[in-house]
Amino acid sequence: MTPEVIRRHYLDAMGITAWASRYQLPNARPTEACEWEETPAKTPPRERLHALLDDAPAPRLHSQPGAGEPGTSSPAASPSAIKALLGNTPAPEPPLETSTAPEPRSLPAEPVKPLDFSLSCLCIGGRWLNVCEGEMTPVEQQLLANILRAAGVLSGALPAVTYFKWPPMVTAFTPEEPLEEAQEGVAAFIAGISSRQGWQLEKVLWWGSEEAALTSPFARVLAVANGQSQTLELPVWQGPALASLTQQASAKRALWPRLVALGKQWGSDDQ
């Protein structure tokens, strides 16, 4: 017996539920294979019912009101009558007619769908993670580079943009907790790329509109409260959507004071 199977036996004995991965995240190591014990075949319902009837106690005899002799039990309530319904023996005489209400039918539950979203991200100096929902266009990338240079945050070329989509495989699995699973997926993606690139993240710059911050699936996944992402466990600075900045000069002017303060913070943190 492999150590993994032994470990699961101990966890089951202690009443601890063991969890196993349902799917493999991108760039994740494959789950180690092990030998699992074969589960015994389930007894057919008819055989289980026969076993219960064989172990059932004898029916109790009760007296009819006003009679001195004990009466007999109802034949429909005895194990022999139930076995007869299964086709083993002739059925006894039916009792008096009784009306039974039909059992209510339960409607099938609608399948749970995963959250559907995508994001683009890049990191400045291995410290500040820039994210925006959807795929960043070349025009938006150039605008972001100009903004960060003007604020004194970026010197040189803009780092490469990484694209992430959730769910990674549309028909791979049916989620049980769509929001929680999406948060775990994003957190694993950011942790994985940070480990490979050697990033030491200090802050998230989230480029998105105020309306998207309230309604978009990615906003729910990021879970920002009091300037802190509960999913990534990092402080969040939110700016307007890059798409709106490419079309509105007034939005750029309104953003400038915040960029100046952002540049000061970058310089103070760098010292």
Side-chain angles (χ1 to χ4, degrees), residues 12-55:
D12 291 340
M14 292 186 292
I16 300 176
T17 303
W19 298 93
S21 60
R22 295 188 299 275
Y23 55 89
Q24 181 178 342
L25 292 174
N27 303 318
R29 293 182 59 187
T31 304
E32 297 181 0
C34 61
E35 297 179 359
W36 301 101
E37 292 183 346
E38 296 183 358
T39 56
K42 293 184 177 181
T43 306
R46 181 182 294 271
E47 295 182 12
R48 293 201 305 269
L49 182 56
H50 275 294
L52 291 175
L53 294 176
D54 292 339
D55 296 336

Side-chain angles (χ1 to χ4, degrees), residues 181-245:
E181 293 174 11
Q183 290 174 333
E184 292 176 355
V186 170
F189 164 71
I190 298 299
I193 193 174
S194 299
S195 176
R196 293 191 301 272
Q197 300 294 336
W199 296 345
Q200 300 293 328
L201 297 181
E202 303 171 359
K203 183 188 292 290
V204 175
L205 305 185
W206 176 21
W207 303 92
S209 64
E210 294 182 358
E211 181 181 357
L214 298 175
T215 60
S216 70
F218 178 64
R220 296 174 56 197
V221 171
L222 203 57
V224 178
N226 300 323
Q228 183 87 4
S229 170
Q230 307 302 315
T231 301
L232 302 179
E233 298 181 350
L234 289 169
V236 176
W237 178 93
Q238 184 180 356
L242 295 175
S244 64
L245 290 175

Side-chain angles (χ1 to χ4, degrees), residues 4 42 54 69 108-109 122 143 172 197 209 235 253:
E4 176 64 17
K42 293 184 177 181
D54 292 339
E69 296 182 358
L122 58 91
L143 175 62
Q197 300 294 336
S209 64
R253 290 192 295 269

Side-chain angles (χ1 to χ4, degrees), residues 91-107:
E93 291 296 329
L96 295 177
E97 294 184 0
T98 56
S99 60
T100 57
E103 296 183 359
R105 294 184 178 180
S106 57
L107 298 177

Side-chain angles (χ1 to χ4, degrees), residues 58-141:
R60 295 180 58 185
L61 302 180
H62 55 276
S63 301
Q64 297 292 339
E69 296 182 358
T72 58
S73 62
S74 172
S78 63
S80 60
I82 300 178
K83 286 186 177 181
L85 294 177
L86 297 177
N88 289 2
T89 59
E93 291 296 329
L96 295 177
E97 294 184 0
T98 56
S99 60
T100 57
E103 296 183 359
R105 294 184 178 180
S106 57
L107 298 177
E110 295 184 0
V112 181
K113 297 181 180 180
L115 294 181
D116 189 0
F117 64 91
S118 61
L119 62 95
S120 301
C121 67
L122 58 91
C123 188
I124 304 299
R127 297 165 48 196
W128 285 10
L129 181 68
N130 289 256
V131 296
C132 69
E133 191 167 3
E135 190 169 1
M136 194 182 302
T137 65
V139 174
E140 293 172 352
Q141 294 182 39

